[in-house]
Amino acid sequence: MDLDHAFFCGNPALDFAATLRARRTLRFETLVSPDRLDAWYVESGVVDTVSPSRAADVEQAIVVREAVYSLITARRLGEAYDKEALAAVNSVARKPPATPQLTATGRWTSATPEEALATVARHAVEVLGGPDVPLLKECGNPECTRVYIDRSRGVRRQWCGMESCGNKVKAAAYRARKKQAQPAAVH
């Protein structure tokens, strides 16, 4: 399994909403197949193993992801929730979640795709109804649309992650300053 999903946001529901990247520009979809959805569930730590998803599971996950993103955006901006988005997340959150079990080697969570998605929806309910709401921020990179929980000292974090967006934006600003400082070439 390739580890190509990113987890910068501080909550599985926020990371799940970020599986559609660059929403305002390129709209890069990461949940392109049942295998990629299953990989996300495992890489995110929501479950340790998931039974194979089908195309219908991916479609349902994308519906829930878009509902979660809508609710996150509304909460962050202090706006009213979209009723359909709220119903979609609550409907899935009511279903049985992935249940961890104790094994001889420790905790192990095996789930169906429906249970894994219910677990993500419950994370959305918890983050949007909990004490971290004032800490929700959108990444300062104009091309990034990830929303993260800013638990930094003084709540001054600007990027979803330095590795992903912070370094890119800082490097671009440095190049722009350097280019601006160069004297005009003499012909």
Side-chain angles (χ1 to χ4, degrees):
M1 215 183 287
D2 295 332
L3 295 176
D4 63 356
H5 295 284
F7 303 96
F8 302 112
C9 301
N11 179 283
L14 300 177
D15 287 316
F16 193 65
T19 60
L20 177 61
R21 297 186 189 145
R23 287 173 178 271
R24 289 187 283 275
T25 55
L26 303 173
R27 296 187 61 84
F28 179 74
E29 177 64 69
T30 63
L31 301 180
V32 295
S33 68
D35 288 349
R36 297 315 309 141
L37 176 60
D38 295 343
W40 188 90
Y41 287 139
V42 172
E43 292 170 29
S44 70
V46 168
V47 298
D48 296 301
T49 185
V50 62
S51 56
S53 292
R54 298 177 328 268
D57 296 315
V58 176
E59 291 171 19
Q60 176 68 17
I62 288 173
V63 166
V64 171
R65 178 199 59 204
E66 292 308 300
V68 168
Y69 184 77
S70 169
L71 298 176
I72 290 166
T73 301
R75 176 60 81 201
R76 191 175 55 77
L77 299 176
E79 297 173 355
Y81 286 142
D82 176 85
K83 286 181 172 67
E84 287 180 26
L86 193 60
V89 169
N90 283 334
S91 173
V92 173
R94 278 189 207 92
K95 295 179 180 174
T99 305
Q101 300 293 302
L102 186 60
T103 68
T105 57
R107 181 181 189 263
W108 186 258
T109 305
S110 185
T112 65
E114 187 176 66
E115 291 167 338
L117 187 59
T119 302
V120 172
R122 288 174 179 223
H123 279 289
V125 169
E126 292 302 318
V127 75
L128 293 170
D132 290 333
V133 169
L135 305 178
L136 295 177
K137 283 188 177 178
E138 187 175 71
C139 182
N141 177 350
E143 294 179 13
C144 182
T145 53
R146 286 185 185 112
V147 174
Y148 60 91
I149 299 172
D150 183 359
R151 290 191 178 102
S152 67
R153 179 184 216 139
V155 192
R156 295 177 52 182
R157 184 171 149 193
Q158 294 180 341
W159 324 108
C160 62
M162 277 307 292
E163 321 70 56
S164 59
C165 290
N167 287 338
K168 287 179 193 172
V169 173
K170 287 182 173 193
Y174 172 78
R175 285 191 302 274
R177 284 191 309 273
K178 194 168 182 169
K179 184 177 180 181
Q180 198 173 38
Q182 290 177 342
V186 178
H187 293 293

